[in-house]
Amino acid sequence: MRRTCVIGAGPSGLAASKVLASRNVPFDCFEAGSGIGGLWRYGNDNGMSGVYASLHANISKESMSFSSLAMPEAYPVFPHHSMVLGYLEDYAASFGLHRHIVFGTRVTSVRPLDDGGWEVVCRSRGGVAEETRRYTEVVVANGHHWDPRLPAPAVPGAEEFGGTAIHSHDYRTPDPYAGRRVLVIGMGNSACEIAAEISRTAARTFLSARDAAQVFPKMLLGRPADHLVWSPLSDLPRFLKDPALRLLLRLTRGAPARYGLPEPVRGPLAGHPSTSDELLAQLARGAVTPKPGVNSFGRDTAVFRDGSRESVDAVVYATGYRISFPFLEPSVFAAADGRTELYLRTVPPRIPGLYFMGLAQPSGAAFPLLEPQAEWIAELIEGAVALPSPTDMTRAIAREWCRHRKTYVSSYRHGIEIDFRSYRRALRRERRAGRRRARVGVPALPAVAGPAPAADAL
Ligand SMILES: Cc1cc2nc3c(=O)[nH]c(=O)nc-3n(C[C@H](O)[C@H](O)[C@H](O)COP(=O)(O)OP(=O)(O)OC[C@H]3O[C@@H](n4cnc5c(N)ncnc54)[C@H](O)[C@@H]3O)c2cc1C
């Protein structure tokens, strides 16, 4: 009998569960924590949430809403993490999802069987006994922001450093940093927001970045910056979009140099946007001192690439996350160097019955893509759509990596970066093509029907 296993009840697993439930596809969802919401559950007892006390969504409530349920009107533009969790609770309750979820149960092994199914081993919290079940499909929705990534190799002298050093995953409040000299390493959203928060009470705050990045204000021309995804600017071809956005940033925020930040070499669309009004304000006030990359540590010092040296007594590594699947043998599937070999960021071409949800990072809206992705997976499970041949999917992935290299900064952080609109279009196109393939019963038509997908599409 067909039965699908969903791993994780964060936003991705909830979207998958909602769609499978609405189509009467039999499934079980296993969740390591004792509640839904994943990362958005502050202090989640799964030990995997890096949300800190003051965190607000860095994109607007519209971009944080699933296609089928808008966030409440009464919510502010950038809701607090507790509100996002409240919204996810409403979503799960509205669609009756709790009864499908086995809480406090961690999937420890997922193994393909010779007959085409999957063996899933799970362990309940505190339980010594493991349970083994068989499934016809597995949907992996275990998140990609929980396994802290530290500089590798480590910064020379890091082991000699005598102060405190944590990853941003373990940061909760600025209290331990009051009156101290703090170095925050990184230039992503967490680095920017944490440096700004710490700088209100720290003696000194340094923000060290190896590479220049654009810091976006949260609002542009009176609208949330992520609404650019829906604006006419998004329809421009890439060679016009980049300079237009650069100009918009100049007119609203000013040049990076006004904040002591270096100007990124590539256009604003080449990297995942870091958004922080507070960082810009704290830089302008001199409360945060920008620094280039760290070359080495001493017992109580950090030496930077430009030869400058600062005494430091605490370090926060906001250096991002590894993409990990501890329950899968790397020979089955792994994300090497932050890259995933997935057709439309969902299907590993030669592993039937295994699907991945939410393993893509759009600049801006993310949640609105989850239900369409889950619909496609459900259609594949039901046989309503058919995939291209494994060879065609592998070719499509290779083409996509070529485009990706030309579009984005080459780094671990950008391995799963996608363009929201191109991805949504590519999903629609694939679902249409898949229906045609299923109708004619030929599963081996070309990977992408019609014209090749737009740049940075898959
Ligand atoms: C500090 C920070 C701020 C962010 N802010 C935003 C924002 O403002 N807007 C935005 O759109 N995104 C933001 N993100 C991105 C965030 O990853 C997504 O919003 C979203 O939480 C991804 O959902 P997910 O379900 O894929 O993963 P998660 O939310 O991480 O959920 C994964 C779930 O899977 C479960 N799980 C994992 N492994 C297993 C296992 N082996 N067995 C059983 N269960 C398992 C976990 O317990 C968890 O509940 C932020 C990320 C970080 C780190």
Side-chain angles (χ1 to χ4, degrees):
M1 219 191 73
R2 294 205 87 86
R3 199 166 186 89
T4 300
C5 166
V6 177
I7 303 175
S12 300
L14 289 176
S17 300
K18 183 249 173 188
V19 169
L20 293 176
S22 70
R23 290 168 169 262
N24 294 319
V25 175
F27 74 99
D28 303 310
C29 173
F30 295 106
E31 167 51 53
S34 47
I36 59 103
L39 176 130
W40 294 99
R41 182 167 289 276
Y42 182 69
N44 197 327
D45 59 5
N46 64 4
M48 297 165 88
S49 170
V51 158
Y52 47 89
S54 67
L55 183 118
H56 282 249
N58 54 30
I59 56 175
S60 63
K61 62 180 172 187
E62 291 82 11
S63 297
M64 293 283 292
S65 294
F66 292 109
S67 345
S68 61
L69 186 72
M71 278 201 186
E73 276 284 310
Y75 273 20
V77 181
F78 300 103
H80 185 250
H81 63 73
S82 56
M83 294 174 157
V84 179
L85 179 64
Y87 164 74
L88 294 171
E89 291 280 15
D90 285 350
Y91 181 82
S94 303
F95 299 109
L97 302 184
H98 286 95
R99 68 196 166 86
H100 297 282
I101 304 170
V102 187
F103 289 104
T105 303
R106 188 176 292 272
V107 170
T108 55
S109 161
V110 172
R111 207 168 58 83
L113 296 169
D114 291 341
D115 63 5
W118 291 87
E119 181 197 80
V120 173
V121 182
C122 30
R123 186 185 294 139
S124 53
R125 183 124 25 94
V128 270
E130 288 187 327
E131 193 185 344
T132 303
R133 300 194 193 184
R134 282 181 68 107
Y135 288 95
T136 38
E137 296 85 14
V138 174
V139 178
V140 177
N142 70 328
H144 57 90
H145 282 132
W146 56 268
D147 186 6
R149 197 163 67 87
L150 288 164
V155 179
E159 65 294 345
E160 278 166 45
F161 180 66
T164 56
I166 61 159
H167 189 275
S168 57
H169 189 254
D170 299 315
Y171 174 86
R172 293 294 174 268
T173 71
D175 303 350
Y177 300 99
R180 299 175 74 186
R181 299 172 64 89
V182 188
L183 169 62
V184 179
I185 300 179
M187 202 63 205
N189 280 304
S190 296
C192 295
E193 296 281 46
I194 290 172
E197 178 165 90
I198 283 176
S199 70
R200 284 192 232 137
T201 49
R204 292 291 304 274
T205 305
F206 305 100
L207 177 62
S208 157
R210 242 181 354 204
D211 305 306
Q214 290 283 2
V215 181
F216 282 63
K218 286 197 165 173
M219 305 286 283
L220 272 176
L221 302 174
R223 299 185 63 80
D226 53 86
H227 282 204
L228 283 176
V229 163
W230 324 103
S231 77
L233 186 73
S234 256
D235 293 325
L236 294 176
R238 179 67 188 254
F239 74 95
L240 290 176
K241 213 176 351 182
D242 247 329
L245 190 52
R246 203 189 279 254
L247 178 66
L248 186 58
L249 283 172
R250 273 301 155 95
L251 294 175
T252 49
R253 177 207 62 190
R258 296 197 59 90
Y259 304 91
L261 296 172
E263 177 82 44
V265 181
R266 296 189 60 181
L269 293 166
H272 189 75
S274 299
T275 47
S276 177
D277 294 310
E278 204 186 349
L279 176 70
L280 294 172
Q282 293 297 78
L283 282 165
R285 292 176 56 214
V288 175
T289 308
K291 285 283 179 185
V294 187
N295 254 359
S296 63
F297 282 112
R299 251 201 77 69
D300 54 6
T301 51
V303 181
F304 298 89
R305 277 201 188 153
D306 59 359
S308 62
R309 171 187 296 266
E310 300 288 352
S311 56
V312 161
D313 47 35
V315 178
V316 179
Y317 287 94
T319 42
Y321 292 86
R322 271 192 297 260
I323 302 174
S324 304
F325 312 104
F327 41 82
L328 281 170
E329 282 296 329
S331 58
V332 175
F333 190 84
D337 300 326
R339 283 177 43 152
T340 53
E341 298 295 317
L342 294 173
Y343 183 59
L344 280 170
R345 307 280 168 181
T346 310
V347 177
R350 290 172 205 285
I351 316 179
L354 185 63
Y355 304 102
F356 290 81
M357 280 281 305
L359 254 190
Q361 186 148 284
S363 41
F367 286 21
L369 291 174
L370 293 174
E371 286 178 348
Q373 187 185 26
E375 295 280 357
W376 181 43
I377 294 175
E379 287 166 0
L380 285 164
I381 292 172
E382 290 171 326
V385 297
L387 286 168
S389 73
T391 307
D392 283 340
M393 286 193 277
T394 306
R395 283 201 194 114
I397 293 169
R399 282 201 299 276
E400 156 56 8
W401 280 122
C402 272
R403 285 189 214 101
H404 194 275
R405 264 196 299 276
K406 288 183 200 148
T407 312
Y408 298 112
V409 173
S410 165
S411 68
Y412 193 103
R413 180 173 186 229
H414 293 99
I416 58 171
E417 193 75 14
I418 56 161
D419 176 76
F420 175 87
R421 284 168 53 136
S422 315
Y423 180 77
R424 197 173 54 167
R425 265 198 306 271
L427 257 187
R428 280 202 203 115
R429 201 163 30 222
E430 173 54 35
R431 288 175 68 189
R432 275 198 306 271
R435 252 171 247 138
R436 279 198 297 276
R437 284 186 212 112
R439 262 200 309 273
V440 293
V442 184
L445 288 182
V448 183
D456 51 41
L458 300 184

